[in-house]
Structures are given as structure tokens and as C-alpha cells.
Amino acid sequence: MTELNKPHALLLDFGGVVAATTKKPNWVAEIAEIVHSLLTNADDPRAEVPKDVIALDIRAGATAAGHWKDAMSRPYTPREMTYAEYWGDFVGADWPDAARAVILPEAEELCRKLGHLRQDRELRGGMVELLKLARADGVKIGIVSNSLSGQVHREYLAQEGISELFDIEIYSDEVAMRKPNPRIIELAADELGVAVGESWYVGDNFDRDVICGARAGVGMNILLEARDTYKLPFEVRLQPDRILADGHALLALYREASQHEAVGV
């Protein structure tokens, strides 16, 4: 078992770690309404697409993009898909050129709206206490997260009043790379001025997070169990240094590491 040392930096995934997420039931209809309005109000009547077709393609696109993301957990340095790829290739591939011409300039904002409409979020228990304790100890704290729209996460943290507890927020759509690309963790450590090997990385997926932490060489590679943790898209042979049930267990592990440091263990 990896030696328990207090981290100089705490790097956290967003969904499943900082916040638990649940899918909203009406997200397809709501984002389809927004897209339909954009196309209907366009100057070119050839841009119109029936609302039921839009909804079907939004659902199909989300499913296909999910499969793409699973596949991208195999390459060593995967990139993130762009907003335009999501809406132009995964959702609107078969729409008229006039419709795509309307949607593509709006792709980034549509990804932001989709993020808000698709999921509810709730801070995981013990997480704010951990963040405040680590920050008081002088530990650097950052988010390293895959995201279709990192802006959604930024807005959520601001809404919850905890943005100031993070020194940095790094999201895959903003840096054009996605976990398990080790460079995204290296980038966070570089910006914080902390060695990767002196950092804890906490994620909730084997195929994205555990692999990424191992490739980057983090000091402690931690898996925090969440709703989809054990829904693996393929067999992953790498194992985390610790598997923890929730934020309270993570807080307890941090306190244990701090006590070890205090007594010189």
C-alpha cells in the first residue's frame, strides 16, 4: 500500500467527487425547445428542423458522444471534443447546411445551457469541510475535470459560494485535452507550483481518473465511489491507492495523513 503522506496539493474531479450529479428527466425536451427556437427564428427558412427530429438527434448525439468518451479513455493523450463537434457532428450531422450554419456559432453557449439543463448537482458530504481544512493548512487545491462546458461547473461553485476555496479550476473543454491524458494533471500541478508526486488526485472513475493519476505519477491516487464508478466501459488493470466511500472518508484520510506528518511517522 502506498505510504500515507500529507499532500502539498489536492486535485479533485468535479462530478462525482466535489458534487454528486443526477440526470434531470426533461432535459432533452428543454434543450430541443431552445434549438428549435434558434432554427425557427433564423433568416433562412431552410434552417428549420422539426422539433421531434431535433429531440431525437439530441438524445442520439448524447449517447454517441458518451461512447466516444469511453473510447478516448484508451489513448495515452486524448484530446477533448470541441463544442462545434458536439453539435455539428454528434447532434446535427444530418441537418440541412442552413441549420448547421445557425447552430455552430451558438455551440459553446448551447453546451453551457445543456450542462445546466441535463443535471442537478449537490455538494458531497464532508467536501466543504475538507476544502476549508486543507486550505487552512496551506495545501493547494485544484479541480481537474472532464467537461463539455467547464463554465457550468464554475457557475455552480460560485452559486454555492465556494469558488474561493479553489486555487485553480482546469476543465477539459478549456484546455483541449481530457483525462486520462496525464498532461491535464501535470498542467494543474505546474500552475500550482507543486510536484505531481506530492499531490493527491481524487476521481470517481477507473477508466478516466485512476488511469490518469497513474500515468501522471501522482503521490496518492484515490478513487471516491460514486453512482457510476463500477460501470466500466472496458477492463482496467490499474488500481487506485485507496478506494473511499464518500467525502467524509476522504476527510478522515486527510486528517490521518496530517496526524502522521505532525508526529513524524
Side-chain angles (χ1 to χ4, degrees), residues 35 38-39 47 82-93 95-111:
V35 173
L38 284 172
L39 297 179
T82 66
Y83 313 121
E85 283 176 319
Y86 185 86
W87 284 98
D89 294 339
F90 285 89
V91 177
W95 293 357
D97 289 343
R100 289 161 53 83
V102 172
I103 291 302
L104 292 183
E106 303 293 330
E108 181 174 358
E109 178 61 11
L110 284 172
C111 285

Side-chain angles (χ1 to χ4, degrees), residues 4-9 133-134 137-139 198 200 254 257-261:
L4 184 60
N5 294 313
K6 183 179 176 180
H8 291 187
L133 178 59
D137 287 346
V139 175
E198 295 177 335
W200 286 9
Y254 177 83
S258 298
Q259 184 177 15
H260 282 198
E261 180 183 74

